[in-house]
Amino acid sequence: MVLVEIENVKKFMAGFLGGDLFDDFLMSEGKLSMNIAYEFNGRVLKEFYDTEEWEQYHMYPCVPWEQEKEKVFALIKGRKTPLSFQFVMMLKPELIDDFLIKYNLPVRSEEVAGLFLNIMYDRKSLKCTGGVSRKTFVMDQSLEEAWDMEVKSHLKEFM
């Protein structure tokens, strides 16, 4: 698991909340501590949508980040920075095959439960870690190593 220290926090936050830096990801979960604490469960709630809308949203287990970032930004913006936050982002499932091909990995996408990026801020630092969830146990760590390289590549301009 790789740990990336974000040096350019302002630029990262602009891409995270206002840009398209994480539009290829779903929000799996999140926590935000300000004057009160917020916890986000990224699971899409079917009951919120009518039948036509649900057809559009049920393809993902969690909500796409591009749909939620404005709401999160509305909570965060202001004169004071949050005390802390943590977001667990998951690569959209349809992008896993492209990732596996890019790194020439002998893994089928059906074997991957998720490719994750954890974003953690605590007023002193902003750090990101990568994580892989597999559906079965294997000794080979090539998927995890490739995901670490991808995370570093995705965040290199902020290091």
Side-chain angles (χ1 to χ4, degrees):
M1 175 175 66
V2 68
L3 172 75
V4 176
E5 291 256 5
I6 303 298
E7 298 295 328
N8 194 335
V9 175
K10 190 173 186 172
K11 184 176 179 182
F12 177 90
M13 291 304 294
F16 179 55
L17 295 173
D20 60 1
L21 183 62
F22 288 95
D23 284 358
D24 286 342
F25 289 82
L26 308 174
M27 181 181 69
S28 179
E29 62 183 72
K31 296 177 184 173
L32 172 62
S33 297
M34 298 178 24
N35 61 326
I36 63 171
Y38 299 90
E39 289 194 31
F40 307 96
N41 177 337
R43 297 276 174 209
V44 178
L45 300 175
K46 181 178 182 177
E47 303 80 17
F48 184 75
Y49 300 100
D50 62 34
T51 305
E52 287 179 20
E53 289 175 316
W54 179 245
E55 292 302 316
Q56 173 180 355
Y57 291 112
H58 82 282
M59 68 183 288
Y60 295 124
C62 300
V63 67
W65 177 245
E66 70 260 22
Q67 293 176 8
E68 295 303 306
K69 64 185 171 187
E70 285 183 36
K71 296 171 193 167
V72 174
F73 178 65
L75 289 171
I76 291 177
K77 72 179 179 181
R79 291 189 319 261
K80 290 187 172 190
T81 59
L83 295 171
S84 65
F85 63 75
Q86 178 180 356
F87 288 92
V88 179
M89 312 300 283
M90 180 172 117
L91 187 68
K92 289 180 178 176
E94 71 267 19
L95 300 176
I96 292 175
D97 276 329
D98 292 340
F99 166 75
L100 296 173
I101 291 167
K102 177 180 178 181
Y103 289 93
N104 196 28
L105 295 169
V107 179
R108 294 187 340 264
S109 60
E110 301 83 45
E111 300 170 8
V112 180
L115 299 173
F116 296 91
L117 197 130
N118 304 297
I119 304 165
M120 300 159 288
Y121 171 77
D122 68 1
R123 275 201 171 169
K124 296 176 192 145
S125 65
L126 179 60
K127 299 174 184 164
C128 297
T129 61
V132 172
S133 177
R134 292 182 183 248
K135 293 181 181 174
T136 60
F137 176 78
V138 295
M139 295 293 289
D140 178 30
Q141 296 294 303
S142 59
L143 175 62
E144 289 77 3
E145 291 165 4
W147 183 243
D148 285 349
M149 289 190 313
E150 186 69 15
V151 167
K152 283 184 192 175
S153 174
H154 192 71
L155 300 174
K156 69 181 174 215
E157 67 182 286
F158 308 106
M159 298 165 66

